[in-house]
């Protein structure tokens, strides 16, 4: 089954403790992306990747890192999480970023930073 | 900023057609209209997209006006499970960073028994 998976689905952590949220897709997609969703602010893009070793900032990249060492995986790294990074995070992928290529989203990771 | 305008909320009776409007008056000739929906904190789900012609799939129909400045998503027989926030998004035909999805506030559709 074609899908985007995220792990963990739920995470409670403390300020400053490094964490990684994994994202994996099995559709051989070149493009992957991370979003965060907060009440009243909607879905905002954090980082995206057009292909392996090619990443770029989205609208809200501060406090996050990403890497794209292989096509199927696009982990989101929080080196020193802070409470303002408490949010619902979504990973997405598509074949390319062309307008006709549909983006598929993962189920989400709910992160709480205390 | 999102290039679309949608009503913040709509209600629909179960079993009836839900017609969700979207205004995209500044759309250019090489931009698609996409529709996604998000059911209570789940990942956004693709519904349908179109360029010029009306489109239909197993989930919905998309009606785009001739001038392409507005469109309507039609769920022909809405069920309670269609209660969600529906996003109308404009995306360029060709790749590049402008193809990133930009989500607005969408329309919260409530399907009532």
């Amino acid at each position: 089954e074609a899908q985007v998976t995220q792990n963990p689905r739920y995470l409670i952590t403390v300020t400053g403790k490094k964490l990684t949220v994994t994202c994996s897709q099995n559709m051989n997609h070149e493009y992957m992306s991370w979003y965060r969703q907060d009440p009243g602010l909607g879905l905002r893009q954090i980082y995206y990747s057009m292909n392996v070793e090619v990443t770029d900032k989205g609208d809200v990249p501060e406090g996050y890192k990403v890497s794209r060492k292989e096509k199927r995986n696009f982990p989101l790294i929080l080196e020193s999480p802070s409470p303002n990074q408490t949010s619902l995070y979504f990973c997405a992928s598509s074949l390319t970023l062309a307008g006709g290529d549909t983006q598929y989203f993962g189920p989400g990771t709910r992160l709480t930073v205390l | 900023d999102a290039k679309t305008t949608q009503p913040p909320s709509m209600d629909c009776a179960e079993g009836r057609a839900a017609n969700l409007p979207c205004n995209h008056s500044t759309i250019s000739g090489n931009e698609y209209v996409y529709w996604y929906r998000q059911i209570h904190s789940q990942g956004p789900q693709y519904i349908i997209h179109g360029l010029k012609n009306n489109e239909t799939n197993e989930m919905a129909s998309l009606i785009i006006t001739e001038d392409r400045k507005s469109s309507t998503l039609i769920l022909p027989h809405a069920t309670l499970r269609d209660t969600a926030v529906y996003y109308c998004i404009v995306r360029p035909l060709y790749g590049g960073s402008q193809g990133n999805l930009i989500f607005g506030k969408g329309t919260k559709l409530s399907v009532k028994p």
Side-chain angles (χ1 to χ4, degrees):
Chain A
E1 180 190 353
Q3 59 183 354
V4 179
T5 57
Q6 297 179 224
N7 283 293
R9 295 289 312 281
Y10 302 90
L11 179 60
I12 300 175
T13 188
V14 295
T15 298
K17 185 176 181 182
K18 181 180 178 179
L19 66 92
T20 299
V21 183
T22 65
C23 172
S24 182
Q25 49 89 10
N26 62 0
M27 296 170 277
N28 202 35
H29 285 170
E30 291 183 356
Y31 172 85
M32 298 185 75
S33 179
W34 277 103
Y35 293 82
R36 61 177 288 175
Q37 186 171 34
D38 304 288
L41 296 176
L43 282 149
R44 296 178 292 168
Q45 191 177 46
I46 303 171
Y47 269 95
Y48 64 97
S49 169
M50 303 284 274
N51 212 325
V52 175
E53 302 291 1
V54 180
T55 63
D56 210 343
K57 297 177 181 179
D59 296 321
V60 288
E62 294 78 20
Y64 303 94
K65 285 177 56 177
V66 292
S67 69
R68 187 90 182 276
K69 292 184 170 57
E70 49 190 342
K71 188 178 274 192
R72 66 181 292 125
N73 297 322
F74 190 44
L76 180 69
I77 303 156
L78 285 71
E79 295 267 3
S80 183
S82 63
N84 65 11
Q85 292 178 299
T86 292
S87 187
L88 180 57
Y89 291 86
F90 293 103
C91 180
S93 76
S94 63
L95 187 61
T96 70
L97 205 46
D101 290 339
T102 302
Q103 285 192 31
Y104 298 92
F105 284 78
T109 295
R110 188 169 292 279
L111 172 66
T112 301
V113 183
L114 302 174
Chain B
D1 290 337
K3 297 170 65 175
T4 62
T5 303
Q6 300 177 251
S9 64
M10 293 182 64
D11 290 341
C12 178
E14 189 178 19
R16 303 297 294 268
N19 296 280
L20 292 92
C22 179
N23 182 289
H24 31 80
S25 58
T26 61
I27 194 170
S28 65
N30 64 349
E31 290 182 312
Y32 283 98
V33 178
Y34 265 79
W35 284 83
Y36 278 80
R37 73 179 182 184
Q38 187 176 23
I39 299 171
H40 187 58
S41 297
Q42 296 181 20
Q45 177 189 22
Y46 165 78
I47 302 174
I48 198 167
H49 72 281
L51 187 61
K52 295 179 182 177
N53 300 319
N54 299 336
E55 302 287 345
T56 295
N57 62 20
E58 64 278 3
M59 288 184 68
S61 294
L62 174 60
I63 308 298
I64 302 174
T65 58
E66 194 167 338
D67 64 7
R68 303 186 69 243
K69 292 185 177 182
S70 66
S71 60
T72 301
L73 178 74
I74 301 172
L75 307 178
H77 306 286
T79 71
L80 299 179
R81 288 177 293 181
D82 291 321
T83 292
V85 178
Y86 287 76
Y87 298 99
C88 172
I89 301 168
V90 169
R91 294 182 69 203
L93 186 68
Y94 302 107
S97 62
Q98 291 182 349
N100 283 307
L101 289 176
I102 299 174
F103 288 85
K105 295 189 183 303
T107 296
K108 181 172 175 52
L109 175 68
S110 299
V111 180
K112 300 182 183 300

